[in-house]
Amino acid sequence: MNAKTISILKSIGAVFTGILINVIPAITIDAVLHVTNCYPPMGERMSDSLFLLASSYRLALAILGGYFTAKLAPHSPIGHVITLGVIGTIASTLGHIQMGDQGPAWYSIGLIVISIPLSWLGGFIYLKRRG
């Protein structure tokens, strides 16, 4: 493989890692909170306070995903985290459409709005720590 192909694969890997950091822990935490009855059974609407709890760890995961995407990016770390944020915005928009009235609008719209800024923040934190 040539250097350009390797760089492209590293870029894809960096963004994919950011996606995994956002998705896998969120699904796992959700499942644990459902099984432990902190969250109601699947399909049953949660209270706004539980949606606030879900938002809190999703916010942290978005920052963490941006951090590691920037760290793994072969070049242009902020460009990679913006790509991650755009993918998050698209996924959150699809989630908002699919969610319908199963939750408060502020929750799903909030996830759409914060995807790019929090991914960027994670990348910014990485760059500041790197020096």
Side-chain angles (χ1 to χ4, degrees):
M1 275 191 274
N2 64 29
K4 183 173 179 156
T5 302
I6 291 170
S7 180
I8 290 169
L9 291 174
K10 286 182 179 181
S11 290
I12 292 168
V15 174
F16 188 67
T17 298
I19 293 168
L20 292 178
I21 289 171
N22 275 276
V23 173
I24 292 174
I27 290 171
T28 303
I29 294 167
D30 287 348
V32 168
L33 292 174
H34 280 290
V35 169
T36 59
N37 296 318
C38 180
Y39 284 178
M42 293 294 287
E44 191 174 309
R45 192 181 192 285
M46 298 192 315
S47 66
D48 282 9
S49 61
L50 292 178
F51 277 106
L52 187 59
L53 174 62
S55 297
S56 67
Y57 55 84
R58 283 173 169 75
L59 298 177
L61 292 170
I63 295 168
L64 196 60
Y67 181 91
F68 281 99
T69 295
K71 183 174 183 168
L72 295 172
H75 57 81
S76 308
I78 295 300
H80 284 74
V81 298
I82 296 300
T83 300
L84 175 65
V86 168
I87 292 169
T89 299
I90 293 166
S92 296
T93 301
L94 295 173
H96 172 69
I97 293 166
Q98 187 270 336
M99 190 172 170
D101 63 353
Q102 295 176 9
W106 64 261
Y107 172 74
S108 55
I109 292 170
L111 294 179
I112 294 167
V113 171
I114 58 94
S115 290
I116 294 172
L118 291 183
S119 294
W120 174 86
L121 179 59
F124 179 78
I125 292 168
Y126 168 72
L127 291 174
K128 282 296 188 186
R129 291 195 71 212
R130 185 179 76 174

